[in-house]
Amino acid sequence: MSQYPHLFQPLDLGFTQLKNRIMMGSMHVGLEDRPWHFGEMAEYFAERARGGVGLMVTGGFSPNRRGDLLPFGSKLISGWQVPFHRKVTDAVHAAAPDSKILLQILHAGRYGYTPLNVAPSAIQAPINPFKPKELSARDIEKTIDDYVRCAKLAKRARYDGVEIMGSEGYFICQMINLRTNQRDDEWGGSYENRIRFPLEVVRRIRAAVGEDFILMFRLSMLDLVDGGSDSAEVLQLAKALEEAGVTLINTGIGWHEARVPTIVTSVPRAAFADVTAQVKAAVNIPVIASNRINMPDTAEAIVSQGKADMVSMARPLLADPDWANKAQAGRADEINTCIACNQACLDHTFENKRASCLVNPRAGHETKLLYTPTSKPKKVAVVGAGPAGLACATVAAQRGHKVTLFEARSEIGGQFNYASKIPGKEEFRETIRYFLKMIEVHNIDLRLNTMIDGQRLKQEGFDEVIIASGVAPRVPDMPGVDHPKVVTYQDVLDKGMALGEKVAVMGAGGIGFDMCEYLTHEGESITLNTSAWMDEWGVDGSNQNRGGLKPMEIEKSPRKVYLLQRKGNGFGKTLNKTTGWVHRAVVKMKGVETIGGVSYDKVDDEGLHITITKGKGADAVTEQRVLDVDHVVLCAGQVSVNKLHQQLEQDMGKTFKLHLVGGAEFAGELDAKRAIKLASELAASL
Ligand code: FAD
Ligand code: NAP
Ligand code: SF4
């Protein structure tokens, strides 16, 4: 019997059946907008169908031009597009006849990043520079027709159904909510009038496509914006959607303009499953839970406890297309877990680039980055078991090379070990667990506690040597840098060094911000305690308060922290697009004092002496300050650890082919996304 019996029980929808309770939720991956990318999109979905998922949803397609998310964005509005979509649906059904795929219909409304966007009322979104035009009543009728046309085209394209996007603050949310709908016609005013639009869309689609077509509605169960719906309204709408002909209800949490994070790594796993459970208790159709579900234990618990009938995981299926097969076969420890970093998926989408995955660079590139078995197995040495070395060793061994992985320390993971000690980044440990398992599965010869030098590599007769020795903290040239008050982020995170009550963090990049999280939290990470996390971020999970919001209860920082940078302003500007705002919010919530325009004069027993420059040129004003701190933590960037490479090049001649990868190659702006991608590409080419 499966270790996850509830997850792998089929779900009967009456006219059809889903083979399990696992859905890959909708993600815009950047292949949807141009017809010539549909071949690649077909393989992207087919790979996941082969991986055992029961149901998948495409990225959003607008039902008309005014609903575009971006200029010339993805839409399904005409018969000529049908053959392109059939490439996708046929590939999925050929790969796994019992796997199903739905097209998502998404009208962006005022979130459309185009000057042509439209909305129920002409109220601009706080996250969009383009003010929408108000739709007339006639336009609204026409928009419903467009939804129906889109669903009919989806049926012709052999999709198994459609998902109507009614959450995350898009057009349907804007119709439902007073915050965005201030109309005084039959589409505005009372709640009944405001939910008329989604109900009409569902009724008319159902009438047009017949009974044997899956109609899923993504319902905003917790808006997380001021004046959002409350629980009574959400349940009223859920029941009305059931009556109108919906087959399945999927969960949506939070509008894009919400001040509460809903999917980043610091959100507890399954944080919102209890919100879904309220809807499940109110309706008789299956309900799907979503957000921060990434491993089978969590998914099984949600279904077995009756909180939902299915689970939706979007990013976890980017990270590992074989997620479902591995879980079903009792090999959950082989799952390449999504760490919810957003770095290669959502960040890319928001930067208008193709989505991929930090831990799986093949995602979105299934037809190009191939790990084909080698016909000429080689003896490969990888030096350093950080993310770069681990990815390189795993891919090379998976392809059939004989790999030896040398690591100077007693554990694998490199800098990811430090990352995983930051409160809210516990998920990073999963990547280390995954690679440890891959070392076993692919018979990699792991040699811990082995600091490599050139002589040793020569003796063992390797064909290829990959130096992945990574990075070390940069120690700036400053008087007093060797004072006992001065420590590196590595000293703190690796050795668990106790720090005083007043600490200055030098450098406000990703690691500086992470260090602030570390220094301003005490005790159990709130990411591991959903109710504490809800209290801190002011989330009312019962949704009795409108929008599911309540006052934030912020735990006081155990120490005074200063965050310093040499740049004059723009704290946290280099942080990632979709997660940086959360880090900036935490630093503010915890009372960290940020000081820009700093030059570091010296450190002595008094503390850190700095000069602060405000303004530029002739208007510049300087001020000298002594920060009376117990410790100064260096987070001032990193330098490569590649002395070995130079030594090998000088000493060894050409007895083997030498490669540099990850931080060892180039430390500037290095992150794990680049380290893993370049290492995987190198291993694919050996
Ligand atoms: P490293 O991780 O430095 O690994 C190199 C390995 O080589 C080490 O294990 C080292 O012991 C070993 N080694 C060195 N010399 C030798 C030798 N001669 N013989 C044998 N072994 C040797 N990145 C992100 O993308 N997202 C994040 O959110 C993120 N958060 C971070 C948070 C913190 C606190 C820190 C410190 C880093 C974070 N990073 C993050 C950065 C990320 O961890 C690094 O970019 C990544 O680890 C670099 O990988 P690497 O394999 O090149 O080097
Ligand atoms: P970083 O982002 O480059 O930041 C380094 C900081 O140190 C900057 O704020 C810089 O600002 C300062 N600095 C640089 N040289 C200095 C010097 N000589 N003296 C004093 N200050 C100096 O690097 P990082 O914080 O070390 O992070 C390393 C990599 O890990 C980054 O590329 C990042 O992407 C990744 N990472 C990502 C995350 C994430 O959440 N995605 C988290 C952590 C790390 P000034 O020059 O203005 O002083
Ligand atoms: Fe998950 Fe990060 Fe990969 Fe996105 S990039 S799928 S968040 S691991």
Side-chain angles (χ1 to χ4, degrees):
M1 191 172 112
S2 165
Q3 208 178 331
Y4 310 105
H6 297 84
L7 209 49
F8 288 97
Q9 199 171 51
L11 181 62
D12 189 8
L13 300 179
F15 60 92
T16 190
Q17 176 172 291
L18 302 179
K19 68 172 164 183
N20 56 40
R21 309 301 181 97
I22 302 165
M23 177 172 102
M24 179 165 91
S26 173
M27 272 175 295
H28 192 87
V29 288
L31 295 169
E32 301 82 354
D33 300 329
R34 305 287 169 258
W36 54 88
H37 287 147
F38 275 51
E40 283 178 84
M41 186 157 69
E43 187 44 35
Y44 160 78
F45 279 114
E47 184 158 320
R48 280 145 184 93
R50 282 192 291 276
V53 62
L55 181 64
M56 297 183 283
V57 187
T58 66
F61 285 83
S62 175
N64 59 28
R65 287 198 171 81
R66 303 306 287 266
D68 276 359
L69 202 48
L70 293 167
F72 308 107
S74 52
K75 56 181 85 58
L76 180 54
I77 57 173
S78 170
W80 69 265
Q81 297 170 303
V82 165
F84 294 102
H85 284 269
R86 280 190 186 155
K87 281 190 193 176
V88 174
T89 53
D90 289 351
V92 166
H93 296 137
D98 53 358
S99 186
K100 302 205 184 310
I101 181 160
L102 312 184
L103 176 113
Q104 188 189 67
I105 310 180
L106 182 154
H107 188 305
R110 71 176 192 160
Y111 282 172
Y113 201 79
T114 127
L116 301 178
N117 68 6
V118 290
S121 301
I123 304 168
Q124 191 175 344
I127 54 172
N128 194 346
F130 300 109
K131 187 173 176 182
K133 175 178 169 281
E134 178 172 316
L135 288 172
S136 67
R138 204 163 147 261
D139 291 336
I140 291 180
E141 281 290 345
K142 171 81 179 54
T143 305
I144 298 174
D145 292 343
D146 294 339
Y147 270 83
V148 175
R149 177 186 60 199
C150 187
K152 281 163 66 181
L153 289 169
K155 191 169 184 187
R156 265 175 62 195
R158 298 199 267 266
Y159 284 102
D160 300 287
V162 290
E163 176 180 64
I164 298 165
M165 179 45 144
S167 67
E168 323 306 283
Y170 290 115
F171 182 69
I172 288 183
C173 287
Q174 296 159 25
M175 286 296 291
I176 294 171
N177 211 284
L178 269 179
R179 172 187 176 88
T180 40
N181 179 348
Q182 294 181 358
R183 304 176 68 92
D184 54 12
D185 59 6
E186 72 272 32
W187 302 105
S190 68
Y191 188 63
E192 281 68 24
N193 277 359
R194 284 180 278 127
I195 60 174
R196 190 189 305 277
F197 181 84
L199 295 176
E200 277 305 307
V201 166
V202 170
R203 281 191 204 109
R204 295 192 210 172
I205 289 182
R206 178 56 81 208
V209 297
E211 293 302 316
D212 58 346
F213 193 63
I214 299 172
L215 225 171
M216 183 154 81
F217 191 92
R218 184 136 184 226
L219 173 65
S220 187
M221 298 190 188
L222 205 57
D223 289 333
L224 299 178
V225 288
D226 287 330
S229 301
D230 64 15
S231 167
E233 289 172 341
V234 170
L235 299 186
Q236 181 183 337
L237 177 54
K239 288 180 201 163
L241 287 167
E242 177 180 2
E243 244 175 64
V246 159
T247 325
L248 290 159
I249 292 181
N250 185 17
T251 300
I253 303 287
W255 292 28
H256 285 317
E257 66 205 63
R259 61 150 174 84
V260 180
T262 55
I263 60 166
V264 303
T265 192
S266 56
V267 175
R269 285 187 184 179
F272 302 103
D274 287 340
V275 178
T276 307
Q278 293 170 27
V279 173
K280 171 155 169 60
V283 297
N284 300 304
I285 49 176
V287 175
I288 303 169
S290 167
N291 290 47
R292 287 291 284 117
I293 303 165
N294 62 349
M295 285 301 275
D297 285 345
T298 312
E300 172 73 10
I302 290 171
V303 181
S304 69
Q305 290 165 13
K307 292 182 178 177
D309 302 278
M310 282 184 79
V311 292
S312 169
M313 291 171 291
R315 299 168 299 167
L317 274 290
L318 266 187
D320 196 334
D322 285 329
W323 194 104
N325 282 346
K326 287 178 181 173
Q328 190 163 23
R331 295 188 287 123
D333 55 351
E334 291 181 29
I335 289 177
N336 194 1
T337 305
C338 165
I339 56 172
C341 65
N342 283 359
Q343 284 175 242
C345 52
L346 262 176
D347 283 342
H348 280 204
T349 305
F350 278 78
E351 288 158 11
N352 231 339
K353 294 197 282 203
R354 182 178 299 189
S356 185
C357 172
L358 178 142
V359 299
N360 171 25
R362 285 198 70 245
H365 303 276
E366 285 74 12
T367 58
K368 303 229 162 82
L369 182 54
L370 302 172
Y371 302 156
T372 37
T374 180
S375 54
K376 287 189 194 141
K378 294 178 184 167
K379 264 191 95 176
V380 176
V382 179
V383 180
L390 289 165
C392 192
T394 300
V395 174
Q398 179 186 338
R399 294 187 52 228
H401 294 300
K402 178 92 196 81
V403 180
T404 307
L405 177 57
F406 297 99
E407 169 53 51
R409 295 166 53 99
S410 59
E411 59 183 359
I412 67 161
Q415 302 247 331
F416 251 37
N417 286 303
Y418 313 147
S420 68
K421 293 197 177 135
I422 304 296
K425 278 189 152 177
E426 293 78 9
E427 291 287 3
F428 282 51
R429 192 133 284 284
E430 294 286 359
T431 302
I432 300 173
R433 183 266 310 147
Y434 164 75
F435 279 122
L436 206 48
K437 185 68 190 173
M438 288 302 105
I439 286 169
E440 181 194 319
V441 167
H442 297 300
N443 267 323
I444 295 169
D445 180 6
L446 172 65
R447 308 217 198 140
L448 294 172
N449 303 306
T450 310
M451 175 63 100
I452 277 301
D453 55 36
Q455 201 50 40
R456 178 154 196 158
L457 291 176
K458 198 177 179 190
Q459 280 160 7
E460 297 209 23
F462 290 104
D463 303 308
E464 310 260 356
V465 172
I466 291 112
I467 308 293
S469 49
V471 285
R474 174 186 288 128
V475 179
D477 191 12
M478 167 185 68
V481 77
D482 50 359
H483 191 280
K485 281 179 191 278
V486 181
V487 295
T488 66
Y489 67 80
Q490 190 170 337
D491 296 327
V492 177
L493 297 172
D494 188 21
K495 300 174 190 146
M497 180 180 266
L499 296 180
E501 286 180 4
K502 284 175 273 172
V503 176
V505 175
M506 185 189 289
I511 295 178
F513 270 83
D514 273 358
M515 184 52 65
C516 287
E517 300 244 9
Y518 182 86
L519 296 171
T520 56
H521 287 86
E522 209 171 28
E524 186 192 38
S525 162
I526 57 169
T527 296
L528 306 177
N529 180 339
T530 302
S531 75
W533 182 89
M534 294 253 185
D535 289 344
E536 180 137 323
W537 282 99
V539 178
D540 165 26
S542 71
N543 205 12
Q544 298 300 309
N545 297 335
R546 288 212 155 273
L549 293 175
K550 64 180 186 182
M552 297 163 86
E553 292 170 37
I554 299 160
E555 190 85 11
K556 203 170 168 290
S557 166
R559 54 173 64 82
K560 166 80 187 164
V561 178
Y562 301 90
L563 178 61
L564 312 174
Q565 70 177 16
R566 297 175 304 176
K567 285 184 279 295
N569 49 27
F571 265 87
K573 275 251 167 81
T574 57
L575 299 179
N576 298 109
K577 191 111 183 158
T578 63
T579 51
W581 68 274
V582 184
H583 296 295
R584 289 190 291 269
V586 170
V587 158
K588 206 165 169 193
M589 278 153 63
K590 294 289 184 177
V592 172
E593 186 177 337
T594 53
I595 311 177
V598 168
S599 56
Y600 306 104
D601 301 329
K602 63 175 177 183
V603 178
D604 61 16
D605 291 348
E606 276 187 83
L608 174 62
H609 298 245
I610 57 175
T611 303
I612 307 166
T613 306
K614 290 187 181 140
K616 277 186 185 161
D619 297 333
V621 181
T622 61
E623 176 201 350
Q624 291 192 317
R625 247 180 106 173
V626 182
L627 305 179
D628 151 33
V629 291
D630 305 299
H631 288 101
V632 177
V633 184
L634 301 181
C635 299
Q638 299 164 321
V639 291
S640 295
V641 181
N642 66 1
K643 287 194 194 83
L644 178 61
H645 175 247
Q646 292 150 9
Q647 183 196 339
L648 285 173
E649 283 210 317
Q650 281 164 15
D651 298 355
M652 296 297 129
K654 295 267 178 209
T655 55
F656 43 70
K657 257 196 182 163
L658 194 57
H659 311 266
L660 270 178
V661 76
E665 185 188 19
F666 182 60
E669 289 175 19
L670 172 79
D671 62 6
K673 179 177 77 169
R674 195 181 90 206
I676 292 178
K677 180 174 185 287
L678 295 182
S680 304
E681 287 170 358
L682 170 63
S685 72
L686 289 178

